[in-house]
Amino acid sequence: MNVFSHPEFDNHEHLSFFCDPETGLKAIVAIHNTSRGPALGGCRMFPYVSDEEALRDVLRLSRGMTYKSALANLDLGGGKSVILGDPREQKTEALLEAMGKHLEGLGGQYIAAEDSGTSVPDLKVMGRHTKHVAGIIEHTAFDGQPSNGDPSPTTAYGVFVGLKAAVKHKLGREDLTGLKVAVQGIGNVGYRVAQHLKDAGAELWVYDIHPKNMQRAVDELGAHAASAEDILFLPVDVIAPCAMGAILDDNSIPLLKATVIAGAANNLLQRPDHDQALKDRGILYAPDFAINAGGIIDVFYERTGASPEEVRAHVEGIGQTLAEIFTRSDSSGTPTGAVANTLAEERFRKRTGVAETFHEQLAGSQ
Ligand code: NAD
């Protein structure tokens, strides 16, 4: 298994391989870049078929967090961790405690948050042995509502703000009354995005593989029910993908009728060149890691004591960042995803030796 010459290595600052035979813990922590601050990213538990698959996943995800946090102007670097194993069978308190002890050994260079296969209670178990876990503190969210740590409401608000910026840029309108939007995936984020859109007067089409989730949006938000086959190809203004990634590919892009793509799901492009394919079709794509940064913003602020207004203002910055991306894309002819990567690189390469603040706040809050 290659490490330094791994195709996804991309000059990672640090990689740790943890093994604890007593509890069965096998984990990898990847820290991509800390020039803006300590690396914050999810701790994923997944039954990887090989060590190679786990390494590839953690490297790719960790790098993505550097870009997401930099683009969101947070004093955070990028990192991620993976625990190799089936969370339904192998996730024990002892294993999570062992993970917490290992994280403590990294001295706060990496801070773990919830991800697929781990939950807020799991992070709290790790937190018995380290203060370097985040997303577990009850706090007041951007809207003044109490939050148990779930960042989905903030993510959804950021997506709504970003969607409005995209609509303004592409369609030249600020009033969303009558705007036609198709939302794919009516889960924690998708339902709330749909709710914001409904409140703003938009007309909604929805699809979710779980009929109950879809019916809720039909009953409570007056949305039209769509089908799995149709949801991406309806004659609407905007597609808001809030389910899974890799849906924009050689097959789907030629059939899209909407001219704006703005949703929460990660890694929407199946291949990097689909960025250009969307631009060639005149479709404005709001890069996923720019528009869905509300969650990381929420986690960052949970322990800083910032007021809801400050958090809200930061989340609303997603709209300004996207507007900058769209303008640069128009003037350079470069597709929006590539522009977002360049803008993120400008933001994390410029910053070195900054941001002890989050460390201090972290230490002070325990
Ligand atoms: P969720 O699991 O609550 O919701 C996902 C929904 O999509 C579920 O209702 C599920 O039934 C549905 N779904 C799954 N496959 C589908 C398909 N093929 N077609 C239609 N619907 C399908 O997850 P979430 O927290 O709402 O996150 C949604 C997306 O946003 C994910 O891709 C996630 O990675 C991304 N995201 C979430 C956050 C956050 O704060 N929760 C932050 C950043 C990015």
Side-chain angles (χ1 to χ4, degrees), residues 151-152 155 185 187-189 207-210 213 242-244 264-266 292:
S152 305
T155 302
N188 286 321
V189 178
Y207 174 71
D208 195 291
I209 42 167
H210 287 305
N213 291 5
C242 298
M244 71 284 182
N266 281 308
N292 72 14

Side-chain angles (χ1 to χ4, degrees), residues 15-179:
L15 264 181
S16 309
F17 295 83
F18 295 149
C19 177
D20 183 56
E22 239 172 70
T23 60
L25 174 71
K26 280 188 196 155
I28 312 175
V29 176
I31 298 175
H32 178 249
N33 186 291
T34 56
S35 67
R36 291 187 68 96
L40 194 149
C43 172
R44 177 170 288 191
M45 183 162 185
F46 188 78
Y48 294 102
V49 293
S50 64
D51 299 351
E52 169 62 33
E53 189 190 42
L55 178 65
R56 185 178 176 280
D57 206 29
V58 78
L59 289 173
R60 213 174 41 84
L61 293 166
S62 155
R63 177 180 184 275
M65 290 310 298
T66 300
Y67 281 71
K68 183 182 292 205
S69 288
L71 208 49
N73 276 318
L74 291 168
D75 288 340
L76 289 175
K80 203 90 179 182
S81 57
V82 293
I83 299 176
L84 289 73
D86 187 338
R88 285 166 304 182
E89 288 165 15
Q90 287 157 278
K91 194 167 67 179
T92 60
E93 283 210 5
L95 177 142
L96 294 168
E97 287 202 22
M99 183 69 180
K101 286 177 193 164
H102 284 304
L103 294 180
E104 181 62 14
L106 294 177
Q109 284 290 95
Y110 167 69
I111 299 158
E114 185 190 356
D115 205 281
S116 67
T118 62
S119 62
V120 170
D122 296 337
L123 269 291
K124 286 184 174 168
V125 174
M126 292 180 203
R128 290 174 192 162
H129 298 280
T130 181
K131 57 181 181 287
H132 307 304
V133 287
I136 58 170
I137 295 179
E138 290 177 16
H139 61 287
T140 305
F142 75 97
D143 52 3
Q145 296 297 311
S147 165
N148 61 1
D150 174 11
S152 305
T154 318
T155 302
Y157 182 60
V159 170
F160 174 64
V161 165
L163 187 151
K164 281 199 298 184
V167 166
K168 184 175 174 195
H169 189 85
K170 182 71 190 175
L171 306 174
R173 54 186 286 186
E174 295 190 50
D175 180 0
L176 303 193
T177 309
L179 184 83

Side-chain angles (χ1 to χ4, degrees), residues 207-230:
Y207 174 71
D208 195 291
I209 42 167
H210 287 305
K212 254 171 73 179
N213 291 5
M214 182 158 78
Q215 197 55 44
R216 185 175 165 218
V218 171
D219 294 343
E220 296 177 10
L221 305 176
H224 307 284
S227 68
E229 294 73 32
D230 288 350

